Amino acid sequence: MESSVDHARPVGESWDRIETWPGAHAPVTFAALAPPAERAGIAAAEEAVGSAFPEPLRESLLRLDGTGGRVLPPPFWELLGAADIANAWRLRTSIEERSPWSSDGAEADADADAGPWWWHRLWIPVAADGSGDYPVVDQRPSALRGRIGVADHEEGCRFSQHPAWASVPALLSTTSTALETGGELDGCAPFVDSGELDWDIR
């Protein structure tokens, strides 16, 4: 059964709960978690992408600068550190600018479930799957600013209606609840394999 989605807890509280779980159940994942980012590193990443990070993302990075290449949010996302966020943004932006299919700055409806075909400069990549796809925080001006979509390298960007993807706090909060309860999160349930967190897609 799909677990109920709670109201998003503060970022720090969600991280307290998230870190407690792998510390007790998934030692490989826990050992890979990065230390907090330096404020200077976050500032450098913000300069690279040309805009300030939303405060919840900044707060999350100050708690943990990525998951060291290990999966944390379902089903297979590895949270990026500040420098990796900047590098991923540069890569995607550079490819978009050189692409014959570039949108050339054309805007799509910022409230729609699908984004511009491939990339937008106001998307901030916050996680990766190692295959060229990135969950992004949408910073385009709209009533849904701050939501998280998945920028697929082949199919473009899609924004889920599931409440877990409404914001960084929502994703961290619902992830912590799924870990603690073993319940499903957007069709995925956590399990541990050889000391490492993984998610079963149901």
Side-chain angles (χ1 to χ4, degrees), residues 45-51 53 84-105 118-125 132 134 136-137 151-153:
E46 291 175 324
E47 183 176 1
V49 306
S51 63
F53 291 168
D84 291 327
I85 288 173
N87 290 337
W89 184 91
R90 288 191 194 100
L91 174 64
R92 273 296 189 105
T93 301
S94 174
I95 294 173
E96 168 72 12
E97 289 173 346
R98 299 195 311 268
S99 170
W101 300 284
S102 171
S103 61
D104 293 323
W118 205 75
W119 189 247
H120 196 287
R121 295 178 66 89
L122 292 180
W123 290 343
I124 300 175
Y134 298 95
V136 297
V137 178
D152 186 281
H153 71 287

Side-chain angles (χ1 to χ4, degrees), residues 4-182:
S4 61
V5 177
D6 48 24
H7 293 292
R9 296 176 174 85
V11 167
E13 181 181 337
S14 291
W15 271 121
D16 286 342
R17 299 167 69 215
I18 289 171
E19 290 184 276
T20 296
W21 190 89
H25 304 287
V28 174
T29 297
F30 183 75
L33 301 180
E38 299 287 340
R39 291 186 183 275
I42 296 174
E46 291 175 324
E47 183 176 1
V49 306
S51 63
F53 291 168
E55 185 56 34
L57 175 56
R58 189 181 296 114
E59 186 179 353
S60 181
L61 290 167
L62 288 169
R63 179 64 182 262
L64 184 142
D65 195 27
T67 55
R70 302 293 178 177
V71 167
L72 187 64
F76 37 59
W77 301 119
E78 306 162 3
L79 292 180
L80 299 175
D84 291 327
I85 288 173
N87 290 337
W89 184 91
R90 288 191 194 100
L91 174 64
R92 273 296 189 105
T93 301
S94 174
I95 294 173
E96 168 72 12
E97 289 173 346
R98 299 195 311 268
S99 170
W101 300 284
S102 171
S103 61
D104 293 323
E107 285 292 339
D109 181 357
D111 294 321
D113 290 343
W117 159 240
W118 205 75
W119 189 247
H120 196 287
R121 295 178 66 89
L122 292 180
W123 290 343
I124 300 175
V126 293
D129 66 355
S131 299
D133 300 335
Y134 298 95
V136 297
V137 178
D138 190 0
Q139 290 294 89
R140 291 176 295 165
S142 82
L144 299 176
R145 180 174 177 151
R147 65 180 173 162
I148 299 173
V150 174
D152 186 281
H153 71 287
E154 293 182 340
E155 299 179 359
C157 190
R158 290 279 175 182
F159 295 93
S160 172
Q161 294 295 316
H162 192 282
W165 303 98
S167 65
V168 169
L171 180 59
L172 294 176
S173 182
T174 54
T175 297
S176 68
T177 297
L179 292 177
E180 290 177 342
T181 65

